[in-house]
Structures are given as C-alpha cells and as structure tokens.
Amino acid sequence: QVQLVESGGGLVKPGGSLRLSCLASGFTFGDFFMSWIRQAPGKGLEWVSYISSGGSTIYYADSVKGRFTISRDNANNSLHLQMNSLRAEDTAVYYCARDYGYFELWGRGTLVAVSS
Amino acid sequence: EIVMTQSPATLSVSPGKRATLSCRASQSVSSSLAWYQQKPGQAPRLLIYGASTRATGIPARFSGSGSGTEFTLTINSLQSEDFAVYYCQQYNAWPPSWTFGQGTKVEIK
C-alpha cells in the first residue's frame, strides 16, 4: 500500500549527528516533492525542509539551516535528513511527508532525542 | 514569516454538536490553507486543503471556509473519533516557509 516509513531516530548527545531515512512504497516516489516536518514533545508542528522531485531545489527552515541536509535517492525510493550539530531544541518526532504545499501523506515518524 | 494563530486553544463540545475552529494568518495566504487532525501517538491526517476542499476519504461533516487571513473549520455532528487536536497550515509563501498554527484541542464536554 501507499506509505512512508521513517527510521534512524534515537538518543544523541548535544553536538552530535544523526541521519534519518524515509522509505516510500506503493507510489512513484520520484514524481513527488517531499518534506520533513517535526513535532517537539507536547508541542505543535514545524516544517523543517523541502526537496523537489528531482532533488535540484532544496529549502530549509531558518532553525536548521546550515546544520541539516536533505537529500533523496529516487532509485531506492528514499528520502534522507542528515542532522549535524544537534541541540536540545531539535528533540522531536520527525515526519516525512509528500508535499503539495500541504502534506497529504505522512509517515508515522521517528523520535530524535538530544540530551547529555 | 507568516504567523498562524488558532482559537480557541481548547474547545469543549458534546457529541452530536457542532464545533467551529478558527485560524488567522498574519498576512494574506489567499486560499492556500490546510487543516489537519492529530490523535495522540499518531501522525497528522490531512482533512482540508485549498481552504475548503476535503481530502480523499474525509467525511462530509468536516468543512472549511475562508480566504485571505480568516479561516474556519466546522465539524458538524461530532463523533467520538473526532475528538483530537486540529492544526491549520499555510502554504502560500514561496520559497517554502510553511507554517502551522499552534493547534486547537477538541475535547468531550
């Protein structure tokens, strides 16, 4: 069926790095724009990063610019988020989603916890 | 950045009644407004896009209205499964700087 499945979350120390992945299935992944959205515990939603269908156009929220890198591998139906210089405030559930401007398909999320 | 403000923060409604949720944008977003429902431990689910178009599979009791800076989500005849947190989101800005409201929790009265 049509789905997105995130992985790669975990506990990391401040200043550390983590790489999230999102595996797509049930649709032609390379036809769709994608985004990462995060949600801190008990808080609202925050858009993090966008990548165009071919990967040539990329945008980031100011809060992660210079620290996070989004990428995609259309041959393997996967989306990635490389997160460096992690801070306590990056602690959140990270979702990948199909992006039409609005987000019409979401994964279940992966939890990233940044703590010493 | 376009700031989205939702009201009220919490709405207490009896099953079978109507819920009316508001979302205001700090500047015009035209009709580039979406609504989502989120239940505990779950990902958000798209309800409405284009301010008033229901997403696939969304029941007709959910309706959206508004344009510019003022938007409303109406849920008629609330069912038990409708008690959740609802978020609005604008997608008018380009380059992408999509922003969400802080959410409205609809709880059982």
Side-chain angles (χ1 to χ4, degrees):
Chain A
Q1 70 275 30
V2 175
Q3 66 176 357
L4 298 167
V5 179
E6 300 92 338
S7 61
L11 176 63
V12 61
K13 290 181 168 53
S17 298
L18 214 52
R19 186 178 192 242
L20 306 184
S21 296
C22 169
L23 184 63
S25 59
F27 64 97
T28 305
F29 177 69
D31 286 350
F32 291 88
F33 304 152
M34 298 294 295
S35 275
W36 287 97
I37 301 111
R38 68 184 180 183
Q39 186 171 35
K43 303 297 185 183
L45 299 161
E46 179 188 17
W47 168 79
V48 171
S49 183
Y50 160 98
I51 187 167
S52 61
S53 55
S56 61
T57 302
I58 286 171
Y59 295 104
Y60 299 97
D62 288 344
S63 57
V64 306
K65 202 173 294 182
R67 300 187 299 122
F68 289 11
T69 302
I70 192 172
S71 63
R72 65 190 297 161
D73 178 353
N74 287 344
N76 291 296
N77 299 321
S78 60
L79 176 72
H80 304 285
L81 187 68
Q82 176 67 42
M83 304 186 296
N84 298 331
S85 303
L86 282 161
R87 306 166 180 167
E89 54 265 35
D90 295 318
T91 294
V93 174
Y94 285 73
Y95 299 99
C96 61
R98 277 194 327 204
D99 188 335
Y100 288 87
Y102 56 89
F103 306 108
E104 56 82 47
L105 177 68
W106 298 64
R108 298 184 68 174
T110 186
L111 176 63
V112 172
V114 184
S115 175
S116 54
Chain B
E1 175 182 290
I2 300 175
V3 177
M4 307 301 292
T5 302
Q6 292 184 241
S7 61
T10 303
L11 188 60
S12 298
V13 184
S14 300
K17 300 298 185 182
R18 174 184 298 170
T20 302
L21 289 67
S22 295
C23 175
R24 174 177 294 178
S26 60
Q27 64 189 75
S28 177
V29 298
S30 185
S31 294
S32 300
L33 192 284
W35 290 94
Y36 301 86
Q37 176 193 68
Q38 188 178 34
K39 297 179 181 178
Q42 297 185 16
R45 177 174 72 144
L46 177 68
L47 299 175
I48 301 284
Y49 62 93
S52 61
T53 302
R54 276 189 302 276
T56 302
I58 301 304
R61 64 181 182 273
F62 291 90
S63 63
S65 63
S67 65
T69 61
E70 300 284 343
F71 301 89
T72 300
L73 175 70
T74 301
I75 313 170
N76 288 307
S77 188
L78 270 160
Q79 308 295 301
S80 58
E81 62 266 28
D82 299 336
F83 293 96
V85 178
Y86 293 83
Y87 294 95
C88 63
Q89 177 233 337
Q90 67 80 19
Y91 54 97
N92 189 65
W94 192 266
S97 182
W98 316 143
T99 49
F100 293 85
Q102 80 279 19
T104 290
K105 181 180 181 180
V106 177
E107 64 177 24
I108 301 174
K109 185 174 182 179

